[in-house]
């Protein structure tokens, strides 16, 4: 990536057996998104802003070790991710 600031747009599913994955951008924990919902839905849009890249390769990792107390699982269901340079 070119040095700059980025936003990550992603669509996902919410549901009763989904967890709370953490997003890591170059090994920095930048956010946790709660995917649990008692009323499942598809194509939910979320955005992470202010992601800073120093240039070169960048690692994006998702790690799900948490869940909502009402969730029956740790599932993660993403359908699309788009990284856009904002500055």
């Amino acid at each position: 990536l070119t040095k700059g600031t980025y936003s990550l747009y992603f669509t996902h599913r919410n549901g009763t057996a989904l967890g709370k994955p953490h997003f890591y951008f170059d090994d920095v924990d930048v956010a946790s998104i709660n995917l649990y919902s008692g009323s499942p839905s598809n194509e939910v849009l979320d955005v992470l802003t202010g992601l800073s890249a120093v240039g070169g390769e960048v690692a994006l990792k998702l790690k799900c070790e948490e869940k909502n107390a009402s969730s029956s699982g740790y599932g993660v269901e993403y359908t699309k991710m788009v990284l856009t340079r904002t500055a």
Side-chain angles (χ1 to χ4, degrees):
L1 292 177
T2 304
K3 181 179 179 178
T5 303
Y6 291 80
S7 290
L8 178 66
Y9 296 82
F10 54 97
T11 55
H12 59 85
R13 183 175 180 279
N14 284 348
T16 58
L18 300 178
K20 291 169 68 174
H22 285 258
F23 285 80
Y24 294 85
F25 195 75
D26 266 354
D27 293 322
V28 176
D29 188 349
V30 294
S32 177
I33 307 292
N34 184 3
L35 302 178
Y36 171 80
S37 175
S39 301
S41 54
N42 295 312
E43 299 302 311
V44 178
L45 176 65
D46 272 310
V47 182
L48 300 179
T49 60
L51 303 174
S52 181
V54 295
E57 291 186 13
V58 173
L60 174 64
K61 298 177 190 175
L62 302 174
K63 193 173 187 181
C64 191
E65 297 177 324
E66 295 180 59
K67 69 179 187 76
N68 182 294
S70 298
S71 180
S72 63
Y74 293 86
V76 176
E77 297 181 22
Y78 289 98
T79 54
K80 184 187 294 184
M81 292 186 180
V82 176
L83 188 65
T84 304
R85 187 169 182 214
T86 57

